[in-house]
């Protein structure tokens, strides 16, 4: 008897920041970084829907294959992309991602809205800081949090 496999369509928006929120991701190499991250995602059997960010953080929106936990994927993206940035010598500073990440899941009906949101990060951040944006996501998704476990936000006291 053939067993059918259930394909769960999980669409998280992943958010993580550069260690100490340093503005190290520069416009002249960010596209290469995003292409590299896309390769990691696709090689692990996920579908990249959008990737973009700011000099101090990245947003990734994807459709995940159910065989891999999100925590494992994020760990691999962070590890491999840090190594890539160092190997390419994109920055004279030691590049690392902060510990932790945010993962916010969306339904299929919201996918295009989230893609637009991720792709318009630079315009979005003219009006809102990363801290404001991240806290709004936590509140919108009703995620309880303790401030001491959030990213290091140096832009607000």
């Amino acid at each position: 008897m053939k067993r059918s496999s259930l394909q769960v369509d999980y669409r998280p928006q992943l958010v993580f920041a550069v260690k100490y929120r340093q503005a190290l991701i520069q416009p002249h190499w960010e596209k290469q970084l995003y292409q590299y991250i896309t390769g990691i995602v696709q090689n692990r059997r996920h579908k990249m829907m959008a990737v973009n960010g700011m000099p101090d953080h990245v947003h990734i929106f994807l459709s995940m294959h159910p065989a891999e936990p999100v925590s494992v994927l994020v760990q691999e993206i962070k590890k491999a992309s840090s190594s890539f940035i160092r190997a390419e010598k994109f920055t004279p500073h030691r590049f690392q991602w902060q510990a932790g990440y945010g993962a916010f899941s969306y339904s299929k009906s919201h996918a295009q809205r989230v893609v637009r949101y991720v792709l318009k990060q630079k315009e979005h951040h003219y009006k809102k800081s990363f801290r404001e944006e991240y806290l709004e996501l936590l509140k919108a998704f009703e995620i309880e949090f303790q401030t001491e476990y959030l990213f290091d936000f140096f832009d607000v006291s």
Side-chain angles (χ1 to χ4, degrees):
M1 182 170 156
K2 186 176 177 182
R3 293 172 55 179
S4 65
S5 63
L6 175 64
Q7 289 288 331
V8 177
D9 201 3
Y10 177 54
R11 290 182 185 82
Q13 176 187 184
L14 308 174
V15 183
F16 48 89
V18 176
K19 190 160 187 168
Y20 306 122
R21 292 277 321 290
Q22 294 180 82
L24 297 181
I25 302 170
Q26 298 302 306
H28 64 278
W29 56 266
E30 71 178 348
K31 184 176 179 181
Q32 289 173 272
L33 172 62
Y34 299 153
Q35 289 171 340
Y36 189 81
I37 290 172
T38 297
I40 295 167
V41 167
Q42 292 175 340
N43 287 336
R44 297 176 80 82
R45 301 187 304 168
H46 309 291
K47 179 183 176 187
M48 178 65 80
M49 298 177 79
V51 57
N52 200 3
M54 294 295 290
D56 64 349
H57 72 278
V58 171
H59 291 255
I60 300 168
F61 183 51
L62 65 144
S63 179
M64 287 195 68
H65 188 280
E68 183 171 46
V70 69
S71 61
V72 172
L73 176 62
V74 171
Q75 179 182 19
E76 182 57 29
I77 291 170
K78 286 178 162 186
K79 181 179 78 170
S81 62
S82 291
S83 295
F84 173 70
I85 291 165
R86 289 192 294 267
E88 294 295 320
K89 296 181 169 85
F90 285 141
T91 177
H93 307 283
R94 176 152 172 81
F95 187 93
Q96 290 180 281
W97 298 107
Q98 272 192 30
Y101 63 93
F104 307 94
S105 182
Y106 294 87
S107 67
K108 187 175 185 176
S109 65
H110 290 104
Q112 286 308 309
R113 181 179 58 86
V114 180
V115 166
R116 282 191 302 274
Y117 173 80
V118 169
L119 294 178
K120 292 185 176 273
Q121 276 298 293
K122 287 168 184 54
E123 295 91 342
H124 176 71
H125 282 291
Y126 283 125
K127 302 173 194 161
K128 194 174 294 189
S129 73
F130 176 49
R131 183 182 206 283
E132 291 170 320
E133 171 190 52
Y134 197 73
L135 291 174
E136 281 182 11
L137 283 168
L138 292 172
K139 289 175 185 167
F141 282 84
E142 299 178 356
I143 297 172
E144 292 183 23
F145 62 92
Q146 294 177 321
T147 306
E148 63 266 25
Y149 297 115
L150 294 178
F151 295 119
D152 294 329
F153 293 114
F154 300 114
D155 50 353
V156 177
S157 58

